[in-house]
Amino acid sequence: MPSRRLRAMPGVVAACAVLLAGCWSAPRPAPEPTPLRPDWRAVTLPTPPGAPGRLLLRDAAACGGRWFVVGAVADAAGATRPAAWSSVDGVSWSVLPVRGESFYGRQHVLYAVACRDGRIAALGAKNGGVHGNPRTGTWVQRPDGSVREVLAGFELFGGQRAVAAGRLAAGPGGWLIAGARVDGAAVWTSPDASRFAILEGAPELAGDGRGRTAAYDAVAGSSGWLVVGSLLPAGGAALAPLAWTSADGRAWRRAELPTPDGRGRAQRVVLLDGEPVAVGPVRDGFAVWRPAAAESVGELSPSGPPTESGRAAQWRRVGGFGAAGPGVLSVVGLAVVGRRLVAVTGDGAGRRLWASADGGVSWRAVTVPGPAAVPDSGDTAVAVAGGEERLLLLADDGGSSRAWWAVPPWIDR
């Protein structure tokens, strides 16, 4: 007859099996890093002369020892007029004289700005006309400090071929606007921002038998331009991320940015230590891409036709962050602060801030000042600009616009 000890063994074995199963279960995902909590300090921007109204802060830039903010003033009836500000120390701000030359220019909201040698150029728009389409134009800062509209023909940015003029970049070679026309990605270039010329239908840049392209953002290197955007493949329903390089702004080379399922968009790009970093939405969050080798924009920008061995076509995905949201994912801002990256994203629910201290590999959420998150809608805006070790944040929740500094060492808190 078996002993009690032997009769008890099956139960002991079963219990051990249960314990072992628990020990060998799939590991739990690592907890999300705690959000960064910068020491935010409010910035007060003076109201420009003219009819009273609320400020619409839309974009910011820094160069040549100066900081700039652009936007508009909206009165109680919704009428707008363009506005711009500048500061040397980021604490005391002054209103820049702004002069519109056209009917719509005097109503523009300045939504994108770039600067070079302490001087800015900007893009402005106001919906109007029979179809309510954006009436877009450019602005440039004159030697006397004033910001004035650049008069141009209607077809330069509008007309039946118009789609969008997105972002503005400045560099040693001049100024470049990234956008799209009916046949795909297009750029506008100028040596001094006083007059732009459009390049549309260009080989590799515009759409072709492979699909329709669109350009969203651009950055300038020491000897070339880099533009990022997307491709809607012929017969396809999902966008794929692209990048283009050019030494002169006229001859372009196209490169595909890798994603697991081929879907995504490259929406923002900056230079970090002379190397481009692109960020954009993918199926499950946001991806970060960098060139496969440590190359400058100039080395990525040969002016000849593309070749199979062209180094410009080699990119790698180095990191990612965030997750799918209730709406369309977007990257609406990207800045360099010292050697750190700061991104602004939207997920359909709200605009969020993220930061990376390792070149885009890992990211942490950043708390945004204010009583509530900024909604992700067309009437709101969040923008960032970086310089040295300081971050400037603009936020408009649809009811009010505010600005803050994040004081170092905010990235480590």
Side-chain angles (χ1 to χ4, degrees), residues 88 93 251 328 388:
V88 175
W93 290 79
V328 176
E388 300 175 353

Side-chain angles (χ1 to χ4, degrees), residues 294-359:
E295 301 160 306
S296 70
V297 173
E299 292 169 329
L300 285 169
S301 305
S303 59
T307 63
E308 291 298 325
S309 61
R311 296 167 68 192
Q314 299 176 11
W315 286 73
R316 60 192 172 98
R317 180 173 173 177
V318 299
F321 59 96
V328 176
L329 299 180
S330 62
V331 178
V332 297
L334 185 63
V336 176
V337 185
R339 298 189 64 200
R340 299 147 184 154
L341 295 167
V342 179
V344 183
T345 65
D347 62 4
R351 304 282 175 90
R352 308 183 192 282
L353 208 60
W354 306 82
S356 172
D358 57 9

Side-chain angles (χ1 to χ4, degrees), residues 219-230:
V219 70
S222 59
S223 58
W225 297 101
L226 172 68
V227 171
V228 296
S230 67

Side-chain angles (χ1 to χ4, degrees), residues 34-39 337 339-342 354-358 362-366 389 391 406-413:
T34 57
L36 295 167
R37 300 183 180 278
D39 180 11
V337 185
R339 298 189 64 200
R340 299 147 184 154
L341 295 167
V342 179
W354 306 82
S356 172
D358 57 9
S362 61
W363 295 74
R364 291 173 67 182
V366 180
E389 293 294 322
L391 173 69
V407 181
W410 64 273
I411 193 76
D412 301 318
R413 294 184 178 182

Side-chain angles (χ1 to χ4, degrees), residues 146-332:
S146 65
V147 180
R148 299 191 181 187
E149 181 187 6
V150 178
L151 290 177
F154 175 68
E155 298 290 335
L156 183 63
F157 296 104
Q160 296 182 349
R161 298 184 57 77
V163 174
R167 301 288 300 168
L168 179 65
W175 305 76
L176 182 141
I177 299 167
R181 303 285 276 181
V182 293
D183 54 5
V187 296
W188 293 256
T189 58
S190 173
D192 56 8
S194 64
R195 184 176 182 179
F196 281 86
I198 187 172
L199 177 69
E200 56 181 324
E204 292 299 300
L205 182 64
D208 52 26
R210 291 167 290 181
R212 181 188 173 115
T213 59
Y216 307 128
D217 198 11
V219 70
S222 59
S223 58
W225 297 101
L226 172 68
V227 171
V228 296
S230 67
L231 168 73
L232 179 61
L239 297 171
L242 289 182
W244 296 267
T245 52
S246 174
D248 57 9
R250 301 199 61 81
W252 292 86
R253 298 178 65 172
R254 182 187 298 193
E256 298 178 1
L257 277 57
T259 60
D261 57 4
R263 299 184 178 188
R265 290 172 289 162
Q267 287 187 307
R268 290 291 184 268
V269 63
V270 293
L271 290 184
L272 179 64
D273 294 331
E275 182 184 344
V277 181
V279 181
V282 291
R283 181 179 56 84
D284 57 352
F286 303 96
V288 184
W289 297 276
R290 301 183 72 160
E295 301 160 306
S296 70
V297 173
E299 292 169 329
L300 285 169
S301 305
S303 59
T307 63
E308 291 298 325
S309 61
R311 296 167 68 192
Q314 299 176 11
W315 286 73
R316 60 192 172 98
R317 180 173 173 177
V318 299
F321 59 96
V328 176
L329 299 180
S330 62
V331 178
V332 297

